[in-house]
Amino acid sequence: MNRGFGTLLSTEARVWLREPVAVFFALAFPVVLLVGFGYLIPGLREPMSDAPPPWNDESAMSFYLPSVLALSIATVALTVIPVTFATFREKGVLRRLATTPMRPQAIVGVHLVINLAAVLVASLLAVAGAMLAFGVPLPENPGVVLLSFVLGVAAMYSLGLLVSARAPRGTTASGVGMLLYFPSMLVSGLWTPGPAMPDWLETLGKFTPIGASAQGMTIGWLGEVMTGEVFPAVQIIVMVVWTAVLFPLGVKLFRWT
Amino acid sequence: MTDPAPPVIDVRHLRKTYAGPEGTTKVAVDDVSFTVGRGEIFGILGPNGAGKTTTVECVAGLRRADSGEISVLGHDPQADPASIRESVGVQLQESALHDKITVDEAMRQFAAFYEHPSDVEELLRLLDLADHRGVQFANLSGGQKQRLSIALALVGNPQVAILDELTTGLDPAARRATWDLVERVRDSGVTVLLVTHFMDEAERLCDRLVIIDGGTVVAEGTPADLIDGLDGSRAVRLRFTPDRTDRALAVLTALAADGADVESVNRSGSEIEVTGTRKVLFAVVQALAADDLVPEDVRTVSRSLEDVFVQFSGRTYQDETTAEVAA
């Protein structure tokens, strides 16, 4: 590891926190959306009376939470990461670092770490919001939720890296990121949580990195009784394959000047 | 006999081409050689597009040259760019910091990358940035950004500093302050490689320089040697009160007719221009004094690096620069 990595990390983290819009979207947007939808959309807060016990006492927000967690991953991966790296390239930050003993790769690593912390904070806020406001229970299989979350982060951050790999300007990266962000919301089930999702969209979503993550977390959170599945094997494989393809491609195509 | 000190930078037959449209190649640097000694301000002067920046980027190990040899402090920056990172500070043309990072944060962050960094406080004072330490990059003035950029190039306590177009976009006062600063940096023992397209800057600052045009070195030497190397003619412009102008013109014309040091006398409006040898001013003043003629104003027309460029390239410097900007 290069000398000064710690200083680079702490300085970059402090500067990151000075962008109010990015901070809001990365950290607070998921929980605000979750609470907002919960109170605005009729029926979401009601108990699922026709569901098998013990879920007949729980609110439909239990289906919504995994979608919001997927959204928190997609937000950082597609709105924050591509813009950050393309702006570094545009402003000559990567080139400036190349003239010092610190490798420019380090600042990319530092920002992946910062954004990993951001997505963890955003997700914990969303989980806390769902539990406190709507009484969403703890997951049936926490391990499956965690695995689907981590692999979702890996696949989506790789996608974000690839989006930023060639973009000459922050605005270019932002445009491409947004183009991918809206379909991501769709396949994560943000508009059609849980059973409300049409079959064709569910099948399509299963093979996208963020759709697979959302479905994996749903299966882990609600369990076999509600979803009819124990382990999201296909979704896990899908996310591993996406990561294995996107990450090396992003690294290979990344332009340092 | 002792060997002279080895050069700090040694560039031999550097060549760099880029792929142009439709399989053509654009030659950025054709054949550039120069050596830089310890503790000097060495200039690379030339119009825009002459290949100056490409040259220093190869020296700094940021670009691969097609051919040629480069040695910096005994290392080969082409084969092993990391070998010179600790000892060579680079200031690049464009801004290179996040808008929201403060002066202090940027300085401490960059200092942390080096094994033996300079004292950050001392550098901030030297560059007159101590009062702006808490200011974010986007809120700095052009001159302050430029000074911070120089400070960052020096924060690693380098033996060599490469400064590229460091006064572009600065107002005259800020330019002069920056020049003083570069001299102080040199006086502290740092070898400075200065890239500039400003003739006056090169003439004022450089101990030695190369003039580059079209990717090749067209002249090399100290500014004074280059200017003295031009033809030996000198020009003097004189202005008299209107009632004396005719009489003065007669005296000077007579001087030109029989004097060895005066070649031509021309009147334009109220001014008389006299050209001749290096002794032309002395001859003119002597002749005028003998006739009790005291000029209102005397100006010697000094030669500059611009004249050197014209002589070696056959073009005027300004036209080239404007044409490059327009293109």
Side-chain angles (χ1 to χ4, degrees), chain B residues 36 51 58 60 78 82 85 105 122 126 130 245 253 277 288 291 320:
Chain B
V36 181
C58 291
Q78 290 286 310
R85 293 285 166 257
E105 286 168 342
E122 203 179 302
L126 177 76
T245 308
T253 310
T277 66
L288 291 173
D291 242 44
E320 175 71 9

Side-chain angles (χ1 to χ4, degrees), chain A:
Chain A
M1 191 177 290
N2 288 70
R3 180 182 291 106
F5 191 84
T7 314
L8 186 68
L9 180 60
S10 63
T11 312
E12 289 300 315
R14 234 177 307 144
V15 174
W16 189 89
L17 286 169
R18 286 185 195 141
E19 297 285 356
V21 177
V23 169
F24 171 80
F25 273 97
L27 300 183
F29 183 54
V31 66
V32 168
L33 197 78
L34 179 103
V35 173
F37 272 27
Y39 281 97
L40 285 173
I41 297 178
L44 264 183
R45 272 175 300 147
E46 307 300 319
M48 301 179 279
S49 45
D50 49 359
W55 291 92
N56 55 349
D57 285 337
E58 308 294 350
S59 85
M61 287 303 284
S62 306
F63 271 111
Y64 202 55
L65 178 61
S67 294
V68 169
L69 293 180
L71 171 85
S72 70
I73 298 173
T75 306
V76 172
L78 295 174
T79 72
V80 182
I81 287 177
V83 181
T84 305
F85 293 158
T87 306
F88 282 163
R89 184 179 300 118
E90 180 182 355
K91 297 221 172 226
V93 172
L94 298 174
R95 215 172 144 57
R96 184 69 190 80
L97 274 183
T99 71
T100 74
M102 177 61 75
R103 290 154 56 85
Q105 283 83 337
I107 202 166
V108 171
V110 154
H111 275 267
L112 290 176
V113 170
I114 292 171
N115 287 308
L116 188 66
V119 82
L120 284 174
V121 170
S123 298
L124 288 175
L125 283 175
V127 169
M131 287 181 173
L132 293 175
F134 309 108
V136 170
L138 286 168
E140 288 282 319
N141 292 305
V144 170
V145 173
L146 197 66
L147 185 64
S148 303
F149 180 83
V150 169
L151 288 175
V153 168
M156 288 303 283
Y157 278 26
S158 301
L159 181 61
L161 186 71
L162 181 63
V163 169
S164 69
R166 285 286 162 129
R169 270 180 296 279
T171 47
T172 321
S174 172
V176 178
M178 278 298 153
L179 222 57
L180 293 166
Y181 185 55
F182 289 106
S184 295
M185 288 174 152
L186 193 69
V187 294
S188 335
L190 206 65
W191 315 124
T192 53
M197 184 179 277
D199 284 345
W200 66 268
L201 186 57
E202 195 179 329
T203 312
L204 180 75
K206 191 185 272 186
F207 295 99
T208 65
I210 198 62
S213 177
Q215 290 178 16
M217 286 190 280
T218 305
I219 291 165
W221 209 290
L222 292 139
E224 194 184 1
V225 183
M226 290 296 281
T227 61
E229 288 183 67
V230 185
F231 188 78
V234 175
Q235 288 88 341
I236 298 284
I237 293 168
V238 165
M239 286 185 279
V240 169
V241 169
W242 275 111
T243 308
V245 172
L246 295 175
F247 187 75
L249 200 62
V251 170
K252 189 173 162 51
L253 292 178
F254 202 91
R255 282 183 47 178
W256 295 100
T257 54

Side-chain angles (χ1 to χ4, degrees), chain B residues 17 52 85 134 169 240 303 314:
Chain B
T17 57
K52 306 182 299 287
R85 293 285 166 257
F240 296 89
R303 315 298 295 260

